[in-house]
Structure formats: C-alpha cells, structure tokens
C-alpha cells in the first residue's frame, strides 16, 4: 500500500487540547482495555448529572440486548439545559441563522423557557405522555430543537423524519412507530423562497392512522389546509404556557429517540437510542474529537433529520454547554462564500460538514475562503463518507490555512457518535483516513471467515468487538432484525460482534481507512439509501417489470444511484420522458434525495439460476470496470455483454 503524507497536529493547538499527544491517547485506550467498566463508569459519574446513581455499569447477560448504567436515573433535557442555568444562563446556547440572514441568539435561560413551554403544550394540549412516540417533520429552525428537548423532558420518544422525505416515506415511519402526534411547520425558506411541509404531512396521514394531533409551527405563514379537531397552531397555544416544567425522571435505559435508516431490505429500520449512554458519548466526543471548549461556537451543517444533527447540533453541544449554530439555508446560497461569511461573522471555532458539501464549495468557490477572516477556526470536520484527497487538500489548505486539524469522523446512525476519528491535538493525520478508534471504542478490522484481526496492509470487515454506551439498543418492534442486521455476520472468539456493514483496511502504520459498504446500501452525499427501498419505489411505475439499483462513483455526491430497468413494453417512444416519469415516482415515494443519477433500460438482468440478481456485476458495469466475476453460473450469461455494451459502448 502506498504511503500517504502525514500531517502533524498544530503544536500551539496541542498545548491546550484535552488529549495532547498519542501517548495520552494510548494511555486512555489502554485504561479502557484493562478495565472497561471502570473506564466507562468513571466518565458516567464525571460527565452526567444523575438524579439517582447507577448500580451497575454494563449488563451483557442478554447480549446483544445490553444495558448500561442500570439503576441510574436522569433526564437528557436536564443534561442539556438545567445544569447550565446557574453558571451560563445568559450564554448563547443556539445561534440561529435563517436562510434570509435573520439571526436569533437563544441563551440557555431562553432555551429553558421555550423548551418548558413546549413540553407543557405537548402534555396539556396534545395529551403526550411518557413513552408516546412523536414524529417531528420540521425545517432547520429553533423550534425543531425545542421539540426534541421537550419530548426528552416529558419522556416521550421522538422520531425525526428528514424534511426532504416524501409523504409516503413519512407515512411508513409514522405507521411503524405508531406515533401519536406529528410536529411540523407550514413550511420554511430555501434560497429565500418559501417551500411547504404541511401538505406532505396531510398526505401522509390516512384515515386509519395512529396520529391524533398535528402541531403546526407557522414559519413562513403560507396558507395551508387545517383539519378541524386534528390540527393545532403552535403560535396560538404556546403563548399561554407556563415556562416551568419539571423534568420527568427517566431510567438510564429508557428510550430517547427513534431514527429510521435504510437497510438492505425495503423497510426502513427504526434505530432506537436510549438515554444515559447516548448523551454521555455525545458529550465526550464533542470534547475529545472536536476539542470544543466552553467559550467555543460550534457549527455542524447537517439537518436534524439525520443522526449527525441529533448528536452534533442539539444533544452533544448543549450537553457540554457550548454554543451551537443552526442554519436554515443552503450553504452555497447566495454564493459559495456563505459559510465562510458566517464563520467570519459568528467567529465559529469548529466547522463540521460532509465531503459532498466540501466538493461543491470547492467547485463553486475555490478561492472564496481567501475573501474572509477564518482565523477563528480551530478544527475542521467531515462526516458521512470518506473524503477524497483533492477535497481534503483544499479544505486543509484554503479553509484551514494549513493549521487546522481535519477530523475525518467515521460513525453511523447506529453508533450514536464517533467511533473512529483523529483527535485534533494528538493524531498525526493522513488525508482521507479515519485513523484510529476513539478512546473506549474497541474497533477492529476482522476477517469475516475466521473472526481474527487482519494484519497491516490487509482488508476485512469493520467491527466493534465490545458494547459501548451509545450503541443502538434495538430495531423498533423487530428484535430479530436487530440481531440479524448487526450481529449475524462476524464471530470473534465464539461470540458475535457488531458489524458496521463497511469494509476497511489497515495501512502499513495501522491506520484505518474505510473502503465502503459491503451490502446493498448506497451512500448518497453521506446518506445511506437501501437499494431495496429505491427498487420498491421504481417498481410502482406501471411500465416497470424488473429493476436493479447499484451505486456508482459521483464527483460531488460520492456515490450516485444507477438503475437498470426492465420495462414491460418492448419499447418506449421517448426514453428521456420515461426516465423522468420513473424518477417522479421515486420523488413521490421517497424524496428527491433518492433520484437516480443514471438509468438504463435493459432487456434482462444478470441472475443466478435461483433468481438472485448479481449486483456485483452490475456495479462493475456501472463503473466501467472489466467483468472479473464468474458468469458461467448465470441463467443467461449473454445478458452481461448486452448490458455492458448498452452502458459503456
């Protein structure tokens, strides 16, 4: 394996970093290895404010259904708000910038009042109680954070659905969670123009839906349909609510939220995260991976509809008492200088975004960073997919002025927080490399056949060999799917271990590089889309007989969606129109995020005699690679050459 250049940490930054060098990193990791429960128990006592102390650190007796900090009682909303009020009540908690440049600075005192009022509204007007599921379908406005924290305060389980998902996708998630309430907005602003959310909610709620109430936040004041007896106005109700609401006492293992993620089967999985372990790791990774200090302003550009927004816009920054930036708009509007203008104006210290965004900013505004004062930046981060070396180089040199560490974070919805990442004051960084496990995380690349750790220079499956506090606690309503999805592929020393679904390799220095998915999941702009879910949508087009979807490298998105479609009709008059119609079905069923970047109409698909579609072959064709797989076992081997000729000539 060719050697990559190594970039040493900025020595001035390292002087004040929480983890200052690799000796300190290895000391922490060795402490965890030597006594795992003492390691985690110590941090749980130090970082969390307990209403009642825990009795045990880790219970693995029902593995993989593990429990952390049993006996302990706390409230996540209190962790993020109440404990800060005496010491930093007038400090800005949320710095909101709207799409049109409107700014709100919400202090911890103001956050407390807004969340308490919201919590009282949920209880008194909507009948929400502990354990009820509340779906949040919101734009990136402060009320989205209030809604999350209000649910946590009263013990309701929130399930946020990304505002770009369609009514069908929203409906599926509502039904699976059997949600009682939907919180939404009339709409929001994108590129200064209003767009609508409420009509999507209306279309998602059927006559037999579990939804009893829809709470509407009026953001852009566009006219929407109101369903009498079901829909209520946030603006009308919130003004009469008390700003005092006692936090519900929650068990450490009580559920905090569900977040649906695509899998290798068509039905999205309701990933469940519980209270204590999740909030502990959210705070610890903020401190270790981003080295955020109390006086810092932290900006994660994600949406709260994804796990990144949960952990690194709301829960992590607020748990440690930092200032977190919420941004409603598009970072390239009105031009590619928008994020750098915000960094300059708000004196942002840590900037966390996706490689897709970095590539777009580089392409649209290569020299824009030079026009702004970015000297406040200390740490740059990437999330969602591996970052390519050219994007890394531009990010490091032009945005970070060759002095800011880039933390290339690897994690998933299921892990709750970072599991592999450089530490900015300690880790010598290799571009486009996740580097090493975060302290306390027992991550190893294993041979899937033997369960043994692979040697340097070799590849295998990225696994975590011991439970960690922020680990997924289950798939909502489907215990068997939880076991088979995450603990059914790799066994080490006779015991199943958590398999991330990604391949990885160690280089000659033991650095970890993630190589991508090993299952049928496509990583589009850092968002995992199950091929089965996209295929199920395409099949709803009345002229589609069969379809196979694969990922194809994309210059901006990392991966794009490539569809091979077999039509019922022998021919179509206008292929472009037919492709547009199929993408229209995808937009309706899932949302614009799942639109196909490329589509080809084929006469048949490469299948084994048992009927299994050989997607590995289709991936190779989409990438323009030579076919090295054995095709002799296919039902019709000639179809491979036919498809290859259609795609690549």
């Amino acid at each position: 394996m060719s050697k990559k250049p190594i970039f040493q940490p900025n020595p001035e930054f390292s002087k004040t970093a929480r983890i200052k060098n690799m000796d300190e990193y290895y000391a922490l990791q060795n402490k965890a290895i030597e006594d795992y429960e003492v390691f985690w128990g110590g941090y749980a006592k130090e970082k969390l404010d307990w209403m009642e102390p825990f009795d045990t650190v880790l219970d693995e007796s029902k593995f993989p259904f593990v429990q952390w900090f049993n006996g302990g009682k706390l409230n996540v909303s209190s962790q993020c708000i109440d404990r800060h009020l005496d010491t930093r009540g007038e400090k800005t908690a949320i710095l909101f910038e709207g799409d049109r440049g409107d700014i709100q600075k919400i202090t911890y005192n103001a956050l407390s009042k807004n969340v308490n009022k919201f919590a009282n509204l949920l209880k008194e007007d909507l009948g929400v109680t502990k354990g009820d599921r509340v779906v949040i379908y919101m734009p990136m406005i402060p009320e989205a954070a209030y809604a999350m924290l209000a649910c946590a305060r009263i013990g309701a389980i929130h399930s946020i659905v990304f505002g770009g998902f369609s009514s069908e996708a929203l409906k599926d998630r509502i039904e699976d969670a059997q949600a009682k309430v939907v919180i939404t907005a009339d709409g929001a602003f994108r590129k200064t123009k209003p767009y609508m959310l409420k009509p999507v909610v209306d279309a998602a709620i059927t006559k037999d839906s579990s939804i009893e109430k829809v709470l509407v936040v009026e953001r852009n004041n566009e006219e929407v349909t109101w369903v009498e007896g079901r829909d209520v106005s946030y603006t009308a109700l919130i003004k009469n609510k008390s700003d005092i609401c006692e936090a519900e006492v929650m068990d450490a293992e009580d559920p905090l939220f569900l977040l649906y993620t695509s899998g290798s089967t068509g039905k999205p999985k309701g990933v469940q995260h519980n209270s204590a372990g999740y909030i502990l790791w959210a705070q610890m990774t903020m401190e270790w991976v981003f080295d955020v200090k109390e006086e810092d302003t932290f900006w994660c550009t994600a949406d709260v509809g994804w796990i990144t927004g949960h952990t690194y816009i709301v829960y992590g920054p607020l748990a440690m008492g930092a200032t977190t930036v919420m941004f409603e708009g598009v970072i390239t509007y009105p031009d590619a200088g928008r994020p750098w203008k915000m960094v300059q104006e708000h004196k942002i210290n840590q900037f966390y975004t996706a490689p897709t965004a970095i590539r777009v900013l580089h392409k649209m505004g290569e020299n824009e960073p030079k026009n702004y004062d970015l000297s406040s930046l200390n740490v740059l981060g990437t999330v969602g997919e591996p970052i390519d070396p050219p994007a890394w180089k531009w990010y490091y040199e032009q945005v970070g002025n060759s002095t800011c560490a880039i933390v290339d974070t690897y994690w998933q919805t299921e892990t709750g927080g970072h599991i592999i990442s450089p530490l900015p004051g300690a880790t010598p960084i290799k571009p486009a490399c996740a580097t090493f496990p975060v302290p306390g995380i027992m991550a190893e690349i294993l041979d899937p056949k033997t369960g043994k750790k692979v040697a340097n220079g070799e590849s295998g499956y990225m696994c975590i060999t011991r439970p960690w506090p922020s680990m997924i606690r289950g798939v909502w309503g489907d215990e068997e799917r939880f076991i088979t999805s995450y603990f059914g592929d790799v066994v080490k020393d006779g015991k199943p271990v958590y398999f991330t679904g990604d391949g990885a390799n160690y280089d000659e220095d033991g650095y970890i590089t993630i190589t991508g998915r090993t299952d049928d999941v496509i990583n589009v702009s850092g968002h995992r889309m199950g091929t089965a879910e996209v295929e199920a949508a395409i099949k709803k087009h009345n002229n589609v007989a069969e379809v196979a979807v694969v990922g194809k490298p994309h210059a901006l998105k990392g991966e794009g969606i490539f569809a091979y479609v077999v039509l019922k009709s022998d021919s179509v008059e206008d292929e472009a129109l037919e492709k547009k119609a199929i993408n229209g079905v995808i937009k309706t069923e899932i949302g614009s995020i799942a639109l196909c970047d490329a589509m080809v109409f084929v006469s048949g698909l490469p299948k084994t005699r048992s009927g299994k579609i050989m997607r590995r072959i289709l991936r190779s064709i989409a990438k323009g690679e030579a076919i090295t797989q054995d095709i002799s076992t296919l039902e019709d081997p000639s179809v491979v050459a036919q498809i290859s000729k259609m795609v690549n000539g």
Side-chain angles (χ1 to χ4, degrees), residues 593-613:
I593 195 168
L595 296 180
C596 296
D597 297 282
M599 190 183 301
V600 61
F601 297 134
V602 296
S603 58
L605 298 170
K607 298 179 183 177
T608 63
R609 294 185 178 95
S610 64
K612 181 181 179 181
I613 297 172

Side-chain angles (χ1 to χ4, degrees), residues 319-340:
M320 65 163 300
T323 296
T324 183
V325 175
M326 284 189 76
F327 176 53
E328 180 187 32
V330 179
I331 60 172
T332 54
Y333 185 83
D335 54 52
R338 180 71 179 266
W340 320 131

Side-chain angles (χ1 to χ4, degrees), residues 289-335:
V289 176
F290 296 116
D291 205 73
V292 175
K293 305 295 199 304
E294 181 184 338
E295 66 276 9
D296 285 350
T297 298
F298 176 86
W299 183 18
C300 169
T301 69
D303 189 286
V304 290
W306 308 110
I307 187 63
T308 307
H310 283 57
T311 307
Y312 298 114
I313 294 178
V314 179
Y315 288 118
L318 296 178
M320 65 163 300
T323 296
T324 183
V325 175
M326 284 189 76
F327 176 53
E328 180 187 32
V330 179
I331 60 172
T332 54
Y333 185 83
D335 54 52

Side-chain angles (χ1 to χ4, degrees), residues 506-533:
Y506 290 118
D507 71 6
E508 65 282 349
D509 299 316
Y511 279 62
I512 295 170
T513 296
I514 306 299
T515 55
R517 302 296 301 176
T518 63
D519 60 9
D520 291 323
V521 173
I522 304 170
N523 196 332
V524 181
S525 298
H527 306 311
R528 292 164 60 196
M529 301 301 306
T531 57
E533 189 176 9

Side-chain angles (χ1 to χ4, degrees), residues 400-585:
N401 195 31
S402 300
T403 59
C404 293
I406 295 179
V407 289
D408 185 357
T409 62
Y410 172 71
W411 61 299
Q412 304 170 313
T413 301
E414 295 85 348
T415 70
H418 307 139
I419 54 173
I420 302 170
S421 175
L423 304 177
T427 311
I429 293 172
K430 295 187 180 185
C433 181
T435 68
F436 304 108
V438 180
I441 301 295
M442 303 296 115
E444 293 181 333
I445 304 173
L446 302 180
D447 183 315
K449 295 180 180 178
T450 66
K452 294 182 178 179
K453 183 178 178 180
V454 304
N456 286 1
E458 294 184 0
S459 299
Y461 282 14
M462 192 70 249
C463 299
I464 309 180
T465 59
R466 293 210 64 179
W468 66 104
S470 67
M471 183 178 87
I472 176 178
R473 291 300 194 271
V475 172
W476 184 256
D478 198 338
E479 290 187 357
E480 184 60 32
R481 193 176 185 193
F482 170 62
I483 296 168
T484 56
S485 294
Y486 304 106
F487 298 92
D489 291 284
V490 186
V491 175
K492 181 182 180 182
D493 298 330
K495 184 178 179 180
V497 298
Y498 177 89
F499 171 44
T500 63
D502 285 314
N505 61 53
Y506 290 118
D507 71 6
E508 65 282 349
D509 299 316
Y511 279 62
I512 295 170
T513 296
I514 306 299
T515 55
R517 302 296 301 176
T518 63
D519 60 9
D520 291 323
V521 173
I522 304 170
N523 196 332
V524 181
S525 298
H527 306 311
R528 292 164 60 196
M529 301 301 306
T531 57
E533 189 176 9
V534 180
E535 288 169 3
I538 293 174
K539 287 175 185 174
K540 291 191 176 182
H541 187 280
N542 58 17
N543 195 28
V544 172
E546 288 186 294
V547 61
V549 165
V550 299
K552 179 181 179 180
H554 189 284
L556 295 179
K557 298 179 182 180
E559 269 193 299
I561 298 176
F562 192 117
Y564 297 86
V565 179
V566 180
L567 297 174
K568 292 177 182 177
S569 56
D570 293 333
S571 61
V572 291
E573 291 183 9
D574 190 329
E575 284 199 2
L577 198 61
E578 193 79 345
K579 291 174 182 178
K580 184 178 180 181
I582 291 171
N583 260 334
V585 175

Side-chain angles (χ1 to χ4, degrees), residues 205-494:
I205 300 175
T206 57
K207 289 182 180 179
D208 57 350
S209 175
S210 59
I211 296 299
E212 297 175 7
K213 295 288 184 180
V214 174
L215 179 66
V216 183
V217 176
E218 286 137 308
R219 166 62 176 159
N220 60 19
N221 296 303
E222 293 288 305
E223 186 174 336
V224 294
T225 300
W226 291 82
V227 177
E228 188 175 352
R230 187 197 72 182
D231 299 348
V232 292
S233 165
Y234 172 83
T235 304
L237 294 176
I238 200 70
K239 58 187 177 184
N240 297 318
K241 294 299 150 191
S242 168
D243 61 12
I244 299 172
C245 179
E246 188 173 346
E248 186 79 23
V249 178
M250 305 293 289
D251 290 336
E253 281 294 315
D254 276 338
L256 177 64
F257 64 83
L258 305 178
L259 187 56
Y260 284 83
T261 181
S262 291
S264 55
T265 62
K267 182 183 177 184
K269 299 191 293 286
V271 171
Q272 179 182 323
H273 278 292
N274 290 4
S275 298
Y278 170 80
I279 197 64
L280 172 66
W281 196 231
Q283 177 173 338
M284 288 179 66
T285 48
M286 281 293 298
E287 294 179 359
W288 282 352
V289 176
F290 296 116
D291 205 73
V292 175
K293 305 295 199 304
E294 181 184 338
E295 66 276 9
D296 285 350
T297 298
F298 176 86
W299 183 18
C300 169
T301 69
D303 189 286
V304 290
W306 308 110
I307 187 63
T308 307
H310 283 57
T311 307
Y312 298 114
I313 294 178
V314 179
Y315 288 118
L318 296 178
M320 65 163 300
T323 296
T324 183
V325 175
M326 284 189 76
F327 176 53
E328 180 187 32
V330 179
I331 60 172
T332 54
Y333 185 83
D335 54 52
R338 180 71 179 266
W340 320 131
K341 180 174 181 285
M342 288 178 62
V343 168
Q344 175 180 277
E345 290 182 349
H346 302 310
K347 294 182 170 52
I348 289 165
N349 306 107
Q350 295 86 10
F351 179 74
Y352 191 35
T353 196
T356 300
I358 296 167
R359 287 190 288 268
V360 170
L361 289 166
H362 182 193
K363 181 179 180 180
M364 291 181 61
E366 181 175 2
N367 297 313
E368 282 289 340
K370 296 176 182 177
N371 298 327
Y372 300 90
D373 178 5
L374 306 183
S375 59
S376 62
L377 288 172
N378 295 322
V379 178
L380 303 174
T382 72
V383 59
E385 57 180 312
I387 182 172
D388 54 286
W392 193 98
K393 184 174 186 291
W394 177 79
Y395 198 34
Y396 179 73
E397 294 177 352
Q398 300 303 316
V399 180
N401 195 31
S402 300
T403 59
C404 293
I406 295 179
V407 289
D408 185 357
T409 62
Y410 172 71
W411 61 299
Q412 304 170 313
T413 301
E414 295 85 348
T415 70
H418 307 139
I419 54 173
I420 302 170
S421 175
L423 304 177
T427 311
I429 293 172
K430 295 187 180 185
C433 181
T435 68
F436 304 108
V438 180
I441 301 295
M442 303 296 115
E444 293 181 333
I445 304 173
L446 302 180
D447 183 315
K449 295 180 180 178
T450 66
K452 294 182 178 179
K453 183 178 178 180
V454 304
N456 286 1
E458 294 184 0
S459 299
Y461 282 14
M462 192 70 249
C463 299
I464 309 180
T465 59
R466 293 210 64 179
W468 66 104
S470 67
M471 183 178 87
I472 176 178
R473 291 300 194 271
V475 172
W476 184 256
D478 198 338
E479 290 187 357
E480 184 60 32
R481 193 176 185 193
F482 170 62
I483 296 168
T484 56
S485 294
Y486 304 106
F487 298 92
D489 291 284
V490 186
V491 175
K492 181 182 180 182
D493 298 330

